[in-house]
Amino acid sequence: MHFLVVEDEVRLADLIVQYLRESGHTAEGCHNGLTGLDAARDPRVDAVVMDVMLPGKDGVQVCRTLRREGSDVPVLLLTARSAINERVAGLDAGADDYLVKPFALEELSARLRAISRRRPALGSRLDVGDLVLDPDERRAWRAGVELDLSRREFAVLEILMENAGRVVTRARLLEEAWDGEADLQSNSVDVHISKLRSKIDKPFGRASITTLRGTGYRLETRS
């Protein structure tokens, strides 16, 4: 997923961006409301972490503008412990959740997962070559043949197909397909990738999933 962090405390913004990147996502930071608003309009942004007190345009104003423009990008506001009025104003302006400073980065990650799941799906079927996946019906096919996938295999394949042609790290797969429940040192991802290959590649004479040692996996757009 791609996250936008809008926070005028540069060190805090950098810390959050670094944490999200180390968790297997992409992230960018900016430090005032006006540039944050422009950046949040980018359709590639999956969720926004935004401080309420920002120069140029505060977080509540940014959120209200986004909703008025029809944007449904999830927004997590960062507020001061005593600023109850800010939290109420932010939620009324269309924010999805808030987090009180200081906070644990693990809680930030959990709240981002929660608000991202609430966002309506932007499309129906995913198509990569002769691979087709329907998230709504929880069904997948290769060359017209329906695949018998477990819930976790389906989740891993969906993430790979959403990022076809790009590297997906093991950490990201654990974060999204396992909701962070599996340990980074476990072999859960490797086992499920192996099972996927036996179901989507071997029977069809394909080699779709590339392993990039020490980095992650990539679903090839041509196989």
Side-chain angles (χ1 to χ4, degrees):
M1 300 184 75
H2 181 65
F3 295 108
L4 171 67
V5 179
V6 189
E7 167 60 68
D8 63 332
E9 293 182 41
V10 177
R11 290 180 62 184
L12 177 57
D14 290 346
L15 179 65
I16 296 172
V17 168
Q18 180 181 358
Y19 175 80
L20 292 171
R21 288 175 177 172
E22 290 176 352
S23 298
H25 305 287
T26 57
E28 61 180 302
C30 54
H31 310 300
N32 70 71
L34 293 174
T35 57
L37 175 59
D38 285 339
R41 289 170 171 146
D42 189 328
R44 294 172 295 179
V45 174
D46 293 299
V48 179
V49 179
M50 182 163 53
D51 192 18
V52 169
M53 299 301 293
L54 292 168
K57 199 176 186 76
D58 69 44
V60 174
Q61 292 173 321
V62 171
C63 191
R64 185 176 291 116
T65 300
L66 288 171
R67 299 302 183 241
R68 188 170 59 243
E69 293 175 351
S71 172
D72 66 348
V73 64
V75 175
L76 174 66
L77 289 179
L78 305 179
T79 73
R81 183 173 299 278
S82 60
I84 296 176
N85 60 323
E86 291 179 356
R87 298 176 222 163
V88 173
L91 293 172
D92 285 345
D96 296 86
D97 200 357
Y98 66 85
L99 192 58
V100 175
K101 296 180 179 180
F103 52 84
L105 291 171
E106 292 80 3
E107 182 179 3
L108 172 74
S109 180
R111 287 177 180 265
L112 284 173
R113 288 198 301 273
I115 65 175
S116 297
R117 283 195 293 265
R118 299 174 199 157
R119 192 178 194 185
L122 296 180
S124 52
R125 295 192 174 194
L126 297 172
D127 295 87
V128 179
D130 61 355
L131 263 174
V132 179
L133 183 144
D134 190 321
D136 297 327
E137 295 187 8
R138 310 294 295 177
R139 300 171 68 187
W141 300 262
R142 171 142 242 177
V145 178
E146 186 161 3
L147 305 170
D148 182 17
L149 304 178
S150 70
R151 179 177 64 86
R152 199 78 73 183
E153 290 163 1
F154 187 94
V156 172
L157 180 60
E158 183 175 8
I159 295 165
L160 291 174
M161 290 182 70
E162 287 174 340
N163 297 275
R166 300 191 296 271
V167 178
V168 180
T169 64
R170 293 178 75 256
R172 179 173 177 182
L173 287 170
L174 286 170
E175 181 78 11
E176 296 188 20
W178 277 262
D179 284 333
E181 294 174 0
D183 189 277
L184 274 173
Q185 303 304 316
S186 76
N187 67 343
S188 298
V189 172
D190 310 283
V191 169
H192 282 77
I193 289 290
S194 178
K195 290 180 178 179
L196 267 180
R197 284 177 170 143
S198 71
K199 293 181 178 181
I200 73 170
D201 283 350
K202 189 175 180 180
F204 302 92
R206 307 284 202 276
S208 304
I209 303 174
T210 299
T211 300
L212 290 95
R213 194 170 299 277
T215 305
Y217 304 92
R218 180 177 62 229
L219 182 70
E220 304 299 344
T221 55
R222 293 181 181 180
S223 57

